[in-house]
């Protein structure tokens, strides 16, 4: 947190909480991935959290691809993802 030695303000706490939520969602998305290509709709259907949007899932998938954990491929159904 930015304020060294001083109690964090509510903005910093909210930002830290959002980062932690994002990390949890990334782990959840990674756990859903298999060795078979899946669409974002397929992946979203396996995540039981009404607050998780396809946009959030796509963002986590992009992070996983950039980290080399997942790979993506364009198909006739759209973009698909699987474990690397």
């Amino acid at each position: 947190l930015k304020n060294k030695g001083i109690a964090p303000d509510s903005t910093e706490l909210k930002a830290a909480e959002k980062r932690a939520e994002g990390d949890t969602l990334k782990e959840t998305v990674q756990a859903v991935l298999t060795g078979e290509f899946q669409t974002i709709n397929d992946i979203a259907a396996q995540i039981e959290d009404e607050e998780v949007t396809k946009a959030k899932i796509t963002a986590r998938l992009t992070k996983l691809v950039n980290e080399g954990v997942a790979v993506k491929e364009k198909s006739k159904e759209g973009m698909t993802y699987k474990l690397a």
Side-chain angles (χ1 to χ4, degrees):
L1 298 174
K2 292 177 191 170
N3 298 332
K4 295 172 179 67
I6 301 172
D9 65 25
S10 63
T11 305
E12 290 172 324
L13 286 175
K14 286 179 184 175
E17 287 173 6
K18 282 194 176 274
R19 282 192 300 276
E21 284 176 23
D23 293 343
T24 301
L25 179 55
K26 188 174 88 169
E27 291 170 9
T28 302
V29 170
Q30 183 176 345
V32 168
L33 292 176
T34 65
E36 301 293 322
F37 281 104
Q38 302 177 71
T39 65
I40 292 170
N41 287 338
D42 295 335
I43 295 165
Q46 298 174 66
I47 298 175
E48 296 179 7
D49 184 343
E50 59 199 36
E51 298 206 5
V52 174
T53 64
K54 289 180 189 174
K56 288 179 181 179
I57 293 170
T58 302
R60 295 335 179 272
L61 286 166
T62 299
K63 284 184 179 183
L64 291 169
V65 168
N66 290 341
E67 292 170 0
V69 175
V71 293
K72 67 180 180 177
E73 180 178 279
K74 189 154 179 85
S75 73
K76 59 185 173 187
E77 293 92 26
M79 199 57 70
T80 58
Y81 298 83
K82 72 173 187 171
L83 289 173

